[in-house]
Amino acid sequence: RSPHAVYQTLPGAGMGEEEEERSTTLETLTRFPDSMLGAMFRGPRPAHTDRRGHYFIDRDGKAFRHILNFLRLGRLDLPEGYSELALLRAEADFYQIRPLLAELARLVAERRRHRANAVLHADVDCQERLLHFTVRRGPQNYGLSTCPLRVFTANVFCTDGQFLELLGGSAHPSVSVEEGELPEVEYAKQKVRPLRMAPPDGREVLTAAEFLEEVLKTALDQGFRVDSVFPDPEDILNSRSLRFVRH
């Protein structure tokens, strides 16, 4: 069959919306004749066409890409970490593509099972050192400055990706805590950064104990329980390694 250009609307960067054009075939669009999308392209031409005969559908164009791929391939093939399942499900419901709705329901249930059975591991290593760096005091005038730093490496692994978002992306492997005056540019040079918790709190975490306390509080709020503490199970906030499980 001849290709049909289908226009979808996308949220624009400024006022109004942008259009996105996708080309496909009539056979693809009518793969499921009992769907609303199939009914739109069977029989009389839909009213919303431009002067070139291209069809216009006032729905989300980015989600429609995945709908077209499902119609072409017969399977749901989403990118890793796809986070707009609710939007895609709403679009599939609008078009009444029942096989896609069933596949999305299966995927949502699978993600819920995956979240329900999760493992969380947090390791913290602390070191103190003196950082020497140059400071520009004026034109062709540089001096040497010293700043004591307490640096700790925070590694977090969790099979539930949403947990890391709650920690503000705390899986970043190298975190620096300032004890003196350290220019902002030196953070990038030393490949370290201050660790802040996720909004709306956004406060800076200054010690490894504070970091572990935040991990512990967030983990318990999310239904995890402590599985092991190293090296001393009686001193959890001064530990170097925590493991949590959720069933």
Side-chain angles (χ1 to χ4, degrees):
R1 306 289 183 92
S2 60
H4 289 250
V6 180
Y7 287 91
Q8 302 281 326
T9 58
L10 284 172
M15 298 296 290
E17 295 183 322
E18 298 174 352
E19 290 183 356
E20 179 166 309
E21 179 180 341
R22 300 193 181 277
S23 295
T24 186
T25 64
L26 186 61
E27 183 180 4
T28 296
L29 293 169
T30 58
R31 175 164 185 169
F32 298 105
D34 59 341
S35 69
M36 194 181 85
L37 183 63
M40 288 170 62
F41 290 93
R42 287 186 289 113
R45 173 173 297 199
H48 295 292
T49 57
D50 64 15
R51 57 189 173 187
R52 294 174 294 171
H54 292 174
Y55 301 105
F56 176 81
I57 305 175
D58 189 14
R59 301 294 296 184
D60 189 89
K62 289 175 66 177
F64 194 67
R65 165 197 169 195
H66 303 299
I67 291 174
L68 273 182
N69 284 336
F70 180 81
L71 296 175
R72 290 170 179 142
L73 304 173
R75 68 176 187 273
L76 190 58
D77 193 8
L78 298 175
E80 187 78 22
Y82 183 75
S83 60
E84 296 187 321
L85 280 181
L87 172 63
L88 185 54
R89 186 164 51 179
E91 295 299 294
D93 185 60
F94 173 80
Y95 294 116
Q96 282 296 291
I97 305 174
R98 299 194 181 282
L100 177 55
L101 286 168
E103 181 62 17
L104 285 168
R106 184 199 63 78
L107 181 58
V108 168
E110 181 181 306
R111 287 193 176 185
R112 283 176 180 164
R113 284 194 301 271
H114 186 68
R115 287 203 68 204
N117 299 284
V119 175
L120 165 64
H121 201 104
D123 293 321
V124 175
D125 178 56
C126 300
Q127 295 181 353
E128 294 189 4
R129 61 187 172 99
L130 286 177
L131 177 65
H132 304 283
F133 57 94
T134 57
V135 178
R136 187 173 187 270
R137 306 188 192 282
Q140 299 181 346
N141 182 10
Y142 292 86
L144 183 65
S145 184
T146 301
C147 179
L149 291 181
R150 184 172 59 252
V151 179
F152 66 94
T153 301
N155 290 307
V156 178
F157 167 80
C158 186
T159 55
D160 178 6
Q162 294 184 19
F163 181 84
L164 297 180
E165 296 177 8
L166 294 174
L167 286 177
S170 300
H172 193 284
S174 185
V175 180
S176 171
V177 179
E178 180 182 337
E179 289 185 340
E181 291 298 325
L182 182 65
E184 190 70 27
V185 67
E186 290 298 322
Y187 281 99
K189 288 182 180 179
Q190 300 300 320
K191 298 182 180 179
V192 294
R193 65 176 174 85
L195 176 62
R196 297 187 180 278
M197 302 318 301
D201 187 343
R203 64 182 176 84
E204 184 174 351
V205 177
L206 298 176
T207 67
E210 285 185 19
F211 172 74
L212 287 177
E213 183 180 8
E214 192 66 30
V215 171
L216 179 64
K217 181 176 66 176
T218 308
L220 295 178
D221 286 345
Q222 293 298 307
F224 285 93
R225 64 173 179 81
V226 177
D227 185 57
S228 65
V229 179
F230 179 83
D232 184 2
E234 301 299 322
D235 192 9
I236 191 169
L237 293 184
N238 288 313
S239 62
R240 295 199 301 271
S241 181
L242 289 174
R243 175 184 162 90
F244 302 83
V245 295
R246 183 173 64 196
H247 299 294

